[in-house]
Amino acid sequence: MTTASAAPTATLDGWTRSTFSAAGLTHDRYEKGSGPGVVLIPELPGLTPQVLGLAEHLVSEGFTVVVPSPFGTPEREQTGGYLLRTVGRLCVSAEFRAFAVNAKRPITTYLRAVAADLAGRAPGGKVGVIGMCFTGGFALAAAVDASVAASVVSQPAAPFPISPARRADPGFSEEEMDAVVARSRDDGFCALGLRFSADRNSPRERFDTIARRLGDAFEVIELDSSPGNPGGFSRSAHSVLTSEVRETPGHPALEARARVVRFLRERLSAS
């Protein structure tokens, strides 16, 4: 589905499902496409039709896309109840550590293995990783592995920003941050961050923390969601690359998605 008034959606038709185990965890993953590799980590509440719309777009742009499914039900539409139940599960899961600061999360070790596996099969031996919402910071944590040449950090929402320390926390540990900073200095790793200006679930303080450490290796796109903004976004706008995208020329979220594609092409072709 692609209309000017709704976000792009897709189904799992044509995707290959397999089970992948690493770091003591086992989850399904879905793969499609050819060309440079991209790991797309779903946002809450899971692999929704809108997340699949982004995945299909990346396939159409010439990438091999792997989408792990660590939570939720693939293809299920988001509803308020479904979202709350998924959040409830994550809040008590040691795999995700939803409230912890300066935390190494078991799921990010798993995602590094997913990235390394795809890199072993993809052209150039390097991949990009996209994280969104609760998984936004996971894309940077995955870059501890040398197989990750680029990370896209879209509206990172973990840890849940319920205190000043949590709002400023980048979503992964200081040890992992040190490793990513070293990679940005020594082997050209870069990251791209996206958020809406009024998004309280993905606070600016979190981006400031990342920017202080990564410097010029961290490009930030902040879409205006203040009252009366020209894009028509509400103050609650959150999902930059999925539910807020409209296939209308000049639409700010569409342009942000196009920048993500260019960024991945640039970084993966340079690897």
Side-chain angles (χ1 to χ4, degrees), residues 164-189:
R166 291 181 175 89
R167 286 195 293 273
D169 190 274
F172 51 104
S173 71
E174 185 66 20
E175 179 184 347
E176 290 168 319
M177 175 68 88
D178 287 343
V180 172
V181 169
R183 290 203 58 223
S184 72
R185 181 184 63 242
D186 299 337
D187 64 9
F189 169 80

Side-chain angles (χ1 to χ4, degrees), residues 18-102:
S18 62
T19 300
F20 186 77
S21 298
L25 303 174
T26 298
H27 296 292
D28 285 344
R29 61 179 178 177
Y30 297 86
E31 183 169 340
K32 190 175 184 181
S34 60
V38 174
V39 176
L40 174 63
I41 316 168
E43 61 191 351
L44 291 174
L47 192 47
T48 62
Q50 288 79 20
V51 172
L52 283 167
L54 173 60
E56 284 285 0
H57 179 72
L58 293 169
V59 170
S60 73
E61 291 287 345
F63 297 100
T64 300
V65 180
V66 167
V67 189
S69 183
F71 48 78
T73 303
E75 293 188 296
R76 183 173 179 177
E77 290 275 4
Q78 177 175 325
T79 63
Y82 174 35
L83 176 61
L84 288 174
R85 286 190 295 273
T86 304
V87 170
R89 178 207 154 188
L90 297 183
C91 284
V92 299
S93 171
E95 183 178 343
F96 297 96
R97 304 187 68 188
F99 296 99
V101 297
N102 189 25

Side-chain angles (χ1 to χ4, degrees), residues 20 22-23 39 104 107-121 124-129 137-151 172 175-184 187-190 268 271:
F20 186 77
V39 176
K104 292 181 72 173
I107 186 62
T108 60
T109 304
Y110 175 86
L111 293 169
R112 286 196 280 271
V114 172
D117 177 75
L118 177 57
R121 298 180 280 112
K126 299 284 187 177
V127 298
V129 179
F138 300 176
L140 266 177
V144 170
D145 193 282
S147 65
V148 178
S151 293
F172 51 104
E175 179 184 347
E176 290 168 319
M177 175 68 88
D178 287 343
V180 172
V181 169
R183 290 203 58 223
S184 72
D187 64 9
F189 169 80
C190 288
L268 296 179
S271 63

Side-chain angles (χ1 to χ4, degrees), residues 130-271:
I130 301 174
M132 304 179 291
C133 181
F134 185 73
T135 70
F138 300 176
L140 266 177
V144 170
D145 193 282
S147 65
V148 178
S151 293
V152 176
V153 186
S154 192
Q155 77 271 2
F160 294 139
I162 58 173
S163 69
R166 291 181 175 89
R167 286 195 293 273
D169 190 274
F172 51 104
S173 71
E174 185 66 20
E175 179 184 347
E176 290 168 319
M177 175 68 88
D178 287 343
V180 172
V181 169
R183 290 203 58 223
S184 72
R185 181 184 63 242
D186 299 337
D187 64 9
F189 169 80
C190 288
L192 173 65
L194 307 100
R195 69 179 294 272
F196 282 103
S197 62
D199 186 1
R200 295 182 178 180
N201 291 312
S202 182
R204 183 173 293 164
E205 295 97 317
R206 184 163 293 158
F207 274 54
D208 292 343
T209 297
I210 298 169
R212 278 195 299 271
R213 295 300 308 278
L214 286 179
D216 291 341
F218 186 48
E219 175 186 344
V220 176
I221 297 174
E222 186 174 81
L223 280 68
D224 185 4
S225 57
S226 64
N229 68 85
F233 299 111
S234 71
R235 287 184 63 86
S236 62
H238 178 64
S239 297
V240 177
L241 300 176
T242 57
S243 63
E244 297 295 340
V245 172
R246 299 294 181 270
E247 297 281 2
T248 304
H251 188 269
L254 186 71
E255 292 184 345
R257 189 185 70 177
R259 174 59 189 138
V260 166
V261 169
R262 293 195 305 273
F263 172 75
L264 291 170
R265 284 204 183 110
E266 290 163 5
R267 303 313 307 169
L268 296 179
S269 64
S271 63

